[in-house]
Amino acid sequence: MATIESVLHENRLFTPDDSFVNQANLLNKEEYYSLCKEAEEDYEGFWGRMAREYIQWHKPFTKVLDENNHPFFKWFEDGKLNVSYNCLDRNLDANADKIAIIFESDKGNVTNITYRDLHLQVCQFANGLRSLNIKKDDRVIIYMPMSIEAVVAMQACSRIGAIHSVVFGGFSAKSLHERIVDTAAVAVITADEQMRGGRSVSLKPVVDKALEMSKTGSVSSVVIYQRTGTDIEWHSPRDIWWHELIVDKPIYCEPEWVGAEHPLFILYTSGSTGRPKGIQHSSAGYLLGAMVSMKWIFDYKPTDIFWCTADVGWITGHSYVAYGPLAMGATQVVFEGVPTFPDAGRFWKIIQSHSVTVFYTAPTAIRSLIKLGPELPEDYDLSSLRLLGSVGEPINPEAWVWYHKVVGQSRCPIVDTWWQTETGCHMIAPVPGAIPLKPGSCTFPLPGIMAAIIDEAGHEVKNEGGGLLVIKRPFPSLARTIWGNPDRFKNTYFPNDIGGKYYLAGDSAHRDSDGYFWIMGRVDDVLNISGHRLGTMEIESALVANSLVAEAAVVGKPHEIKGEVIVAFVVLKGLCPKGDDARKIAIELRNWVSKEIGPIAKPEEIRFGDNLPKTRSGKIMRRLLRAIGRGEEITQDISTLENPAILEQLKQPAI
Ligand code: WT7
């Protein structure tokens, strides 16, 4: 398994500061191990206890786990609850006047909202949705900027049992259209525009365009939150202003009590083949995962000011903005803008002005901020911070050490959290008061998460070594299926040929002699661009959909800031273009991909050739393309290559 060998030789060990340990939720290794032991000895008993402790049930469950229909597991199935009730109503007794969200706009205006007011807004909006005849099980697309309203929209759907699917505001009309069609959504909630980095970006016109793409659409309502007040096209009676919808709506909305397994949401993520997968999460199991991880990994305390910088369009923004912090009764920051506007001190300024205590962001943001201002954090008072987090991709030790020293002032542990859209919450991450840290390692699985490494034959690698990362037992927050495609769920995550009964994460990992996990990256053709997954297939299909293109293959290439960028190898229908022609077409194709999928999918480089390197059987030799893309010597065996001459051509980028 040459690709799965560890290349990191990181020996530094950072033991948590006494000041942290003395206040931590899980004080020490013993407490952490005793939870792990409890889970190992009585798995269902452990998760049953957690579910009773953390969740407020409308009707208690009597059975913890049903594994009969593998891998379609059911947790707490006969229990009833409402997730929005668990996030809002439960906080009204003790925390009604506590601030739930500190919202900071792109420009810097601040709006605070208490639990009482958030509850009221969610209730009114939920009643508004009900007045549009949106009911339990209906799918609702949310295409919104980072805002209090985005959280309200998600919570309101869960209040009435509607299944939301948030589409990141950077996705194109086509991507939005595909998600609307796949979910057969009855409504879209959006805004006129969003503000990012001082610029306005259209949202409603993109929704209009997406809806025009379907001839007989399922969508009967579009609710628009007025963010900037710009003129928009109006389609009556389909379009409704948010502020008009809630006028006169009752300020209490009876929650829809749903079964524990009721789908809370669908969130699309890329796979290596085919179209994006609609990852479907449950209500109770998902909520439980978001809550225990808040407690164990973020060491959540009622006095915290929590800030997760992720957009609600990603799973991180679901679990650690829209659900986890609210269910714990936390005060959190929600930020509309970007880390570099008006300058690269923006994050540090927000931490200072709101006295953020727990800060969670992605390595790509950390790296870009290091590049733009390694000393900038020193200009701000960051003494409120007590814990830092990282998510999305492996964090390189240099960035880790800077984050620890300059942002955390050597006082704050860093929780490097490995998890996925499918897992719903953290899977492997340090319990910060208990586990000494190694830069670049996500350390150990959470209590009750049976993570392991297997070799290609499916045997568990028990000691030091590398292989495929699996989770051996089903866990509450695991996705339940792929929307409308259970076979794909089974074949992707529980394939018969590898692991068999285990959840296969699609990542490779290595465990060192101390038992620490190190994530090595994806094993499939999935790229990780700025902490977001993109399937090579998806980008290739988008390129081939352009009338000039005959064939395309894309690979990832390491990038200083984004982690990975896309290099596209393209064969045109006509002659292979050269010089200015090549540059022009390359720019056109780049914009095309941006329109088809979204700006994050834009290839950084495009290279043209008369053909792609293929084996005699016609298979594209991706390993070779990867080497070319990275500018590496070609050391692979090219004896099976049908057309060696094209390698030279492909070495020249057009842009
Ligand atoms: C993939 C999941 C989970 C929220 C963000 C991304 C990579 C994620 C880490 C980490 C190393 C990581 C994996 C994983 N990944 N976190 N801490 N260390 N790799 O969610 O889009 O579902 O992507 O991101 O490759 O499989 P996602």
Side-chain angles (χ1 to χ4, degrees):
M1 292 200 118
T3 52
I4 305 188
E5 237 164 66
S6 175
V7 287
L8 280 168
H9 297 284
E10 178 59 63
N11 297 316
R12 284 171 286 191
L13 199 67
F14 291 76
T15 21
D17 212 78
D18 280 349
S19 64
F20 188 89
V21 175
N22 294 337
Q23 55 82 64
N25 288 338
L26 295 188
L27 260 183
N28 49 38
K29 271 200 162 158
E30 284 66 48
E31 256 177 277
Y32 165 70
Y33 285 127
S34 82
L35 277 185
C36 294
K37 197 158 155 265
E38 183 188 342
E40 254 152 52
E41 286 170 355
D42 178 11
Y43 192 69
E44 291 187 29
F46 170 80
W47 281 118
R49 176 167 85 82
M50 292 303 149
R52 278 184 282 266
E53 241 171 60
Y54 280 82
I55 292 176
Q56 291 196 357
W57 294 91
H58 184 65
K59 175 178 168 271
F61 58 90
T62 58
K63 186 173 164 50
V64 173
L65 171 63
D66 177 353
E67 286 183 88
N68 287 330
N69 187 15
H70 180 94
F72 303 98
F73 311 111
K74 292 181 173 135
W75 286 89
F76 324 117
E77 198 192 357
D78 61 348
K80 285 198 158 191
L81 79 163
N82 178 279
V83 171
S84 127
Y85 179 90
N86 270 273
C87 293
L88 301 168
D89 304 56
R90 73 141 59 159
N91 291 313
L92 292 186
D93 285 341
N95 285 330
D97 294 317
K98 183 171 176 177
I99 291 169
I101 297 176
I102 302 169
F103 173 72
E104 183 164 322
S105 77
D106 190 51
K107 243 178 146 178
N109 300 332
V110 176
T111 312
N112 290 336
I113 182 164
T114 62
Y115 273 93
R116 188 196 316 285
D117 287 344
L118 188 63
H119 176 265
L120 188 149
Q121 285 205 15
V122 169
C123 281
Q124 275 200 316
F125 192 67
N127 283 326
L129 294 179
R130 276 191 177 148
S131 74
L132 297 173
N133 199 25
I134 298 169
K135 307 177 297 296
K136 174 165 179 264
D137 293 320
D138 285 342
R139 273 80 60 204
V140 174
I141 297 281
I142 299 177
Y143 187 66
M144 294 198 63
M146 277 305 276
S147 51
I148 293 173
E149 286 71 15
V151 176
V152 169
M154 293 164 83
Q155 287 284 343
C157 286
S158 71
R159 190 150 195 104
I160 63 172
I163 304 164
H164 64 67
S165 185
V166 184
V167 178
F168 173 59
F171 277 122
S172 67
K174 178 133 186 281
S175 302
L176 179 60
H177 158 80
E178 282 169 2
R179 285 151 177 80
I180 293 170
V181 172
D182 197 58
T183 54
V186 300
V188 179
I189 306 172
T190 188
D192 49 359
E193 292 185 303
Q194 60 177 328
M195 294 300 302
R196 286 172 70 78
R199 293 185 314 126
S200 57
V201 185
S202 291
L203 289 176
K204 170 64 164 54
V206 182
V207 173
D208 289 340
K209 214 157 142 202
L211 291 176
E212 271 162 31
M213 290 177 181
S214 335
K215 288 200 176 58
T216 50
S218 50
V219 171
S220 49
S221 312
V222 175
V223 182
I224 308 123
Y225 159 59
Q226 194 167 37
R227 169 63 186 87
T228 64
T230 187
D231 274 346
I232 50 172
E233 252 183 58
W234 202 256
H235 298 260
S236 268
R238 187 196 72 185
D239 293 354
I240 311 119
W241 283 116
W242 176 301
H243 54 266
E244 286 175 7
L245 180 68
I246 59 171
V247 161
D248 299 335
K249 291 295 179 303
I251 59 168
Y252 180 72
C253 173
E254 178 67 19
E256 180 85 36
W257 304 109
V258 298
E261 283 295 314
H262 176 69
L264 180 64
F265 64 84
I266 300 163
L267 182 62
Y268 285 81
T269 188
S270 299
S272 52
T273 56
R275 284 187 303 137
K277 303 172 282 198
I279 301 300
Q280 179 187 318
H281 275 285
S282 70
S283 292
Y286 171 79
L287 179 67
L288 180 59
M291 292 182 80
V292 296
S293 52
M294 282 293 298
K295 178 88 171 181
W296 297 337
I297 307 304
F298 289 134
D299 192 52
Y300 170 70
K301 307 275 181 339
T303 47
D304 273 324
I305 309 288
F306 181 80
W307 184 23
C308 161
T309 66
D311 191 282
V312 290
W314 311 112
I315 189 69
T316 311
H318 282 58
S319 306
Y320 302 111
V321 178
Y323 291 109
L326 297 178
M328 299 302 283
T331 296
Q332 68 172 322
V333 173
V334 170
F335 173 47
E336 180 179 41
V338 298
T340 47
F341 177 79
D343 58 52
R346 187 68 187 270
F347 272 6
W348 322 129
K349 185 157 182 248
I350 292 178
I351 292 171
Q352 169 182 283
S353 30
H354 306 300
S355 304
V356 170
T357 58
V358 179
F359 177 64
Y360 189 38
T361 195
T364 177
I366 298 167
R367 287 192 298 263
S368 70
L369 294 175
I370 294 176
K371 187 144 189 209
L372 292 169
E375 265 98 53
L376 270 179
E378 288 160 19
D379 296 346
Y380 297 87
D381 178 5
L382 304 182
S383 59
S384 58
L385 286 172
R386 65 179 188 89
L387 181 65
L388 302 172
S390 168
V391 61
E393 58 180 304
I395 178 167
N396 46 309
E398 293 66 36
W400 194 101
V401 169
W402 179 86
Y403 196 29
H404 187 260
K405 195 166 154 227
V406 183
V407 180
Q409 295 159 345
S410 306
R411 174 186 73 243
C412 309
I414 296 176
V415 288
D416 178 353
T417 59
W418 176 84
W419 59 297
Q420 308 175 295
T421 304
E422 295 85 344
T423 69
C425 74
H426 304 153
M427 292 285 110
I428 309 180
V431 166
I435 307 292
L437 306 172
K438 298 187 186 188
S441 166
C442 53
T443 74
F444 298 98
L446 272 67
I449 300 301
M450 308 303 177
I453 294 173
I454 58 169
D455 61 23
E456 269 167 357
H459 302 302
E460 191 171 338
V461 179
K462 292 243 167 162
N463 301 314
E464 193 182 348
L468 304 172
L469 184 59
V470 295
I471 298 171
K472 288 171 34 180
R473 297 221 51 186
F475 46 94
S477 68
L478 177 65
R480 294 303 189 254
T481 189
I482 292 174
W483 179 257
N485 204 342
D487 288 345
R488 191 173 177 200
F489 179 77
K490 189 171 185 313
N491 297 335
T492 309
Y493 304 113
F494 296 88
N496 286 331
D497 52 336
I498 349 169
K501 283 190 132 13
Y502 299 163
Y503 169 74
L504 188 68
D507 281 331
S508 59
H510 177 91
R511 201 164 32 198
D512 69 17
S513 53
D514 300 324
Y516 281 65
F517 280 82
W518 300 77
I519 307 297
M520 315 307 297
R522 302 286 307 179
V523 288
D524 49 18
D525 281 322
V526 170
L527 308 177
N528 189 322
I529 313 292
S530 300
H532 303 302
R533 254 193 282 174
L534 284 173
T536 50
M537 234 320 263
E538 245 177 295
I539 306 163
E540 288 162 5
S541 319
L543 281 165
V544 176
N546 184 290
S547 60
L548 296 175
V549 176
E551 209 177 6
V554 309
V555 299
K557 161 180 159 178
H559 184 270
E560 228 194 317
I561 289 171
K562 297 178 185 169
E564 214 168 12
V565 289
I566 300 162
V567 180
F569 298 89
V570 175
V571 180
L572 296 185
K573 283 179 185 156
L575 287 177
C576 177
K578 298 209 167 54
D580 267 354
D581 258 3
R583 202 163 314 120
K584 247 194 253 152
I585 300 175
I587 292 170
E588 183 183 328
L589 291 180
R590 210 198 232 169
N591 293 336
W592 170 266
V593 174
S594 176
K595 240 179 61 201
E596 288 282 299
I597 306 175
I600 44 166
K602 260 192 198 175
E604 176 95 355
E605 268 177 32
I606 296 190
R607 297 166 185 232
F608 293 106
D610 287 316
N611 209 333
L612 296 175
K614 289 183 187 158
T615 61
R616 275 168 222 278
S617 62
K619 249 179 97 137
I620 295 173
M621 297 174 78
R622 283 174 183 283
R623 292 222 302 168
L624 205 55
L625 289 178
R626 233 168 268 148
I628 298 174
R630 293 170 183 206
E632 293 165 359
E633 271 311 303
I634 293 172
T635 53
Q636 287 101 328
D637 176 14
I638 53 167
S639 57
T640 56
L641 182 61
E642 179 77 7
N643 41 3
I646 58 115
L647 292 187
E648 279 314 307
Q649 254 184 342
L650 294 173
K651 284 184 185 165
Q652 301 305 322
I655 41 167

